[in-house]
């Protein structure tokens, strides 16, 4: 019998192969959306792959997406493969379709970065770019110390000292919020939301229209990692504009669901997240959207890994073959992928529970 570890991959190409093979074995066709502007680390084509199960004009559509944050895709990909291998799609309620979106940010997944090919955090990119972006003053204040001029010399030491002082004075939570809420002014910075809709943003909108344009009820489960204790899962209400009735429904289905706007989540109150596109592309649908946020390492280690990775690509020339580059890439992977059997087992088992709860919720 297959075990959860068998669903999880060693890299993006392996993940894509496992996903497409599992879909084909389940008798499904896979839609492939190639991002023609980019290539993988071995020069390979990069794509988002989509498998749909269920009636064409289903009233209910459940989207399960992986890799919004690139390297976090190891987690969601494993769950998606497991769903297919174990036939979770055969338990679908009536009039319901399941749409599995594999690696919505394939460049980030393939290059093991949290951002996309434009250094954009896809989950800060869903805002109206025709209007002036919010000014994130707390981020602007610390941008230079997040990404110092060098990573193994005096500039780094000075930056680390400044960050330590900041945390002593204002607390870790304030620091986390300043870094991760999202910013739209520093294109080489962390949690940069971009100045235009990215390739992945446009594709997600198109998939919503094509697969759920006429749906009455849309469910979105978006897999993430990087916050919380090792293997723990926090369900976070998706949209950044809180709708009380949607949050109440999510809690009725899944039990504890936190909300970034209520301040009870491990996540900061982020802006420009992907469920915003559902409300815009399918305005008449009832939307129940959550992020499944799985823990790997302590949050300060995660932020440290992100600082290093951003330094590597913005100031370190992107030299991943150097000893320093290699160490940083390991740090990023370890920050977002718990590569032990028990971690994979917990990710998958919780993922099954959450999907089955959505099935039940839609029948209620
Ligand atoms: Zn994430």
């Amino acid at each position: 019998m297959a075990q959860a570890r068998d669903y999880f991959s060693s890299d993006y190409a392996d993940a894509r192969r496992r996903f497409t093979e599992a879909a084909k074995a389940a008798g499904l066709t896979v839609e492939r959306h190639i991002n023609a502007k980019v290539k993988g680390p071995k020069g390979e084509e990069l794509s988002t792959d989509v498998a749909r199960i269920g009636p064409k004009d289903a009233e209910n559509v459940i989207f399960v997406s992986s890799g919004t944050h690139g390297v976090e895709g190891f987690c969601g990909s494993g769950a998606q493969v497991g769903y297919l291998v174990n036939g979770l799609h055969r338990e679908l309620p009536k009039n319901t379709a399941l749409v599995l979106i594999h690696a919505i940010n394939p460049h980030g997944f393939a290059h093991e970065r949290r951002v996309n090919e434009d250094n954009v955090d896809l989950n800060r990119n869903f805002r109206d770019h025709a209007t002036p972006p919010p000014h994130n003053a707390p981020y602007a204040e610390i941008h230079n110390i997040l990404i110092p001029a060098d990573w193994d010399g005096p500039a780094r030491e000075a930056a680390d000292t400044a960050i330590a002082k900041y945390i002593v004075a204002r607390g870790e939570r304030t620091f986390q919020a300043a870094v991760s809420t999202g910013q739209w002014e520093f294109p080489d910075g962390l949690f940069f939301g971009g100045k235009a809709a990215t390739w992945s943003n446009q594709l997600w909108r198109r998939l919503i229209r094509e697969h759920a344009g006429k749906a009455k009820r849309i469910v979105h489960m978006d897999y993430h990692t990087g916050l919380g204790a090792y293997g723990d899962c926090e369900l976070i209400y998706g949209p950044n504009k809180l709708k009380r009735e949607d949050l109440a429904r999510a809690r009725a289905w899944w039990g504890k669901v936190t909300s970034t706007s209520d301040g009870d989540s491990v996540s900061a109150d982020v802006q420009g997240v992907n469920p915003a596109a559902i409300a815009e592309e399918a305005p008449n649908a009832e939307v129940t959207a959550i992020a499944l946020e799985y823990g790997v390492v302590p949050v300060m280690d995660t932020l440290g890994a992100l600082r290093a990775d951003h330094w590597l690509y913005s100031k370190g020339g992107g030299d991943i073959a150097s000893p320093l580059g290699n160490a940083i890439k390991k740090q990023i992977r370890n920050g977002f992928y718990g590569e032990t059997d028990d971690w994979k087992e917990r990710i998958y088992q919780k993922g099954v529970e959450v999907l089955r709860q959505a099935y039940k919720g839609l029948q209620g």
Side-chain angles (χ1 to χ4, degrees), residues 286-300:
E286 171 196 284
V287 181
T288 315
I290 49 163
L292 294 88
E293 181 68 71
Y294 289 97
V296 188
V297 298
V299 65
M300 288 307 292

Side-chain angles (χ1 to χ4, degrees), residues 69 72 114 224-225 293:
H69 286 139
E72 300 176 18
R114 189 175 170 282
H224 291 264
T225 61
E293 181 68 71

Side-chain angles (χ1 to χ4, degrees), residues 268-283:
D269 187 8
V270 302
Q271 295 190 37
V273 292
N274 55 16
I278 307 175
E280 287 163 19
E281 304 300 335

Side-chain angles (χ1 to χ4, degrees), residues 68-69 72 114 121 123-124 222-226 293 336:
T68 294
H69 286 139
E72 300 176 18
R114 189 175 170 282
D121 178 339
N123 229 19
R124 306 291 183 277
D222 196 30
Y223 273 88
H224 291 264
T225 61
E293 181 68 71
F336 292 95

Side-chain angles (χ1 to χ4, degrees), residues 31-360:
E31 278 176 42
R32 186 175 194 201
H33 301 272
I34 294 170
N35 184 345
K37 288 188 299 184
V38 296
K39 290 278 187 278
K42 292 176 189 140
E44 71 271 33
E45 287 192 312
L46 299 178
S47 58
T48 298
D49 293 271
V50 181
R52 179 189 170 113
I53 310 97
K56 192 170 176 299
D57 292 315
E59 283 188 2
N60 309 319
V61 176
I62 304 172
F63 289 103
V64 178
S65 48
S66 65
T68 294
H69 286 139
V71 63
E72 300 176 18
F74 284 108
C75 170
S77 168
Q80 291 171 322
V81 171
Y83 288 167
L84 290 167
V85 170
N86 292 299
L88 268 287
H89 54 285
R90 289 197 291 270
E91 301 172 19
L92 273 174
K94 267 194 288 184
N95 218 349
T96 303
L98 175 64
V99 182
L100 302 175
I101 302 174
H102 188 263
I104 186 69
N105 165 12
H107 185 272
F109 194 166
H111 292 272
E112 301 187 9
R113 301 200 68 198
R114 189 175 170 282
V115 289
N116 82 336
E117 59 275 18
D118 310 312
N119 193 53
V120 168
D121 178 339
L122 181 56
N123 229 19
R124 306 291 183 277
N125 186 236
F126 291 86
R127 59 173 303 279
D128 178 4
H129 294 282
T131 63
H135 171 60
N136 183 343
Y139 181 86
E141 190 190 331
I142 58 172
H143 172 72
N144 285 334
I145 55 173
L146 289 175
I147 312 176
D150 62 60
W151 198 249
D152 48 7
R156 162 80 186 286
E157 280 167 35
D160 284 2
T161 305
I163 288 173
K165 272 190 191 157
Y166 182 106
I167 291 170
V168 168
R170 299 190 236 181
E172 196 175 289
R173 184 83 189 167
T174 305
F175 177 72
Q176 185 194 341
V179 180
S180 69
T181 300
Q183 57 84 13
W184 293 265
E185 290 163 276
F186 299 88
D188 62 342
L190 276 69
F191 298 83
F192 173 59
K195 295 195 187 290
T198 60
W199 179 87
S200 300
N201 176 328
Q202 293 175 44
L203 176 62
W204 169 226
R205 290 177 184 280
R206 185 177 142 197
L207 293 172
I208 296 165
R209 289 194 299 272
E210 289 179 1
H211 286 282
K214 291 182 196 143
K216 289 200 174 127
R217 295 194 288 177
I218 297 175
V219 179
H220 183 208
M221 292 168 47
D222 196 30
Y223 273 88
H224 291 264
T225 61
L227 294 171
Y230 193 75
D232 282 3
C233 179
E234 179 175 315
L235 303 179
I236 308 174
Y237 173 77
N240 56 315
K241 280 194 195 108
L242 184 63
K243 271 198 188 167
R244 283 279 158 205
E245 68 272 24
D246 290 349
L247 177 59
R249 186 183 327 105
R251 285 179 174 156
W253 291 8
W254 289 303
K256 189 179 177 196
V257 175
T258 62
S259 152
T260 58
S261 15
D262 279 359
D264 64 348
S265 169
V266 286
S267 169
D269 187 8
V270 302
Q271 295 190 37
V273 292
N274 55 16
I278 307 175
E280 287 163 19
E281 304 300 335
N284 299 318
E286 171 196 284
V287 181
T288 315
I290 49 163
L292 294 88
E293 181 68 71
Y294 289 97
V296 188
V297 298
V299 65
M300 288 307 292
D301 293 351
T302 313
L303 295 176
L306 287 172
R307 287 178 62 209
D309 192 62
H310 280 263
W311 174 85
L312 178 62
Y313 288 90
S314 66
K315 306 228 162 107
D319 181 10
I320 60 168
S322 68
L324 179 59
N326 198 270
I328 289 173
K329 291 317 292 179
K330 279 203 182 111
Q331 202 185 343
I332 267 287
R333 184 173 167 125
N334 294 342
F336 292 95
Y337 187 18
E339 293 193 66
T340 59
D341 290 353
D342 68 313
W343 189 85
K344 294 170 183 173
E345 191 66 40
R346 290 184 65 195
I347 271 54
Y348 180 62
Q349 292 309 336
K350 183 68 183 178
V352 168
E353 183 186 318
V354 171
L355 182 61
R356 285 196 173 129
Q357 285 167 325
Y359 287 174
K360 202 171 162 212

